[in-house]
Amino acid sequence: MNKTLIIGASGQIGKMTTQQMLDNGQAVVALVRDKSKLADISSDKLQIVEADLEEDFSHAFEGCDQVIFSAGSGGKTGADKTMLIDLWAACKAADYAKAANVSHFVMVSSIGADEPSSGSEKMRPYLVAKHMADEHLIRSGLNYTILRPGSLNNNDATDKVQTQRPSNRDDMVISREDVAHALSYVVGKTELNGKIFELFNGDKDLAEVLS
């Protein structure tokens, strides 16, 4: 049975993705720092692995076919944690996945990661971290897909998206739940190898634009 490792499974997007994949009957290995944060999820297809992303977490990859990296340092931390989680942990995850012969690695990145210098002074360390992590994955030799969502909100999913960046900055948004749906849809689709998608609210089904 295929197993998907979700790194950052207790975060908002990671937890939604974990639940969605379990609801779809898929086996999930949830990598978290504190397993109590998944106490409200119960499934015989769920395996929880506790590990600190600042340390060695290579053991979590054992027996996993796909990986989703949805971990993040969070908006309330400084640039030091951004570098350690969004950059260094993401790079280590790609290296571990390569060593474990993982068939598909899906990275949650960010709009603006393609050109960090265009971001605000406050956002620049985060965008640099995402850019470098993406570049490391691209050069890793893994089958990869990178999703770069716009500004995130907590609205309910519409399951309608677009990959064309809107001209109006206020429209460069997407719900966390829609990103989770996109992750569930993309993971394991090795035909999407080498694809990078920006993701925003839109009017198209996932299958129409993530191809």
Side-chain angles (χ1 to χ4, degrees), residues 154-172:
N154 291 321
N155 294 344
D156 291 337
T158 64
D159 287 325
K160 297 293 182 181
V161 298
Q162 62 177 323
T163 55
Q164 183 70 37
R165 188 183 297 191
S167 57
N168 185 342
R169 189 163 187 83
D170 290 341
D171 293 330
M172 298 180 193

Side-chain angles (χ1 to χ4, degrees), residues 5 17 20 22 38-39 42 102 115 129 135 142 152 162 186 205:
L5 172 63
T17 307
Q20 288 171 22
L22 292 172
L38 295 182
S42 178
V102 164
E115 194 176 356
E135 288 298 308
L142 288 162
L152 300 168
Q162 62 177 323
V186 164
D205 294 332

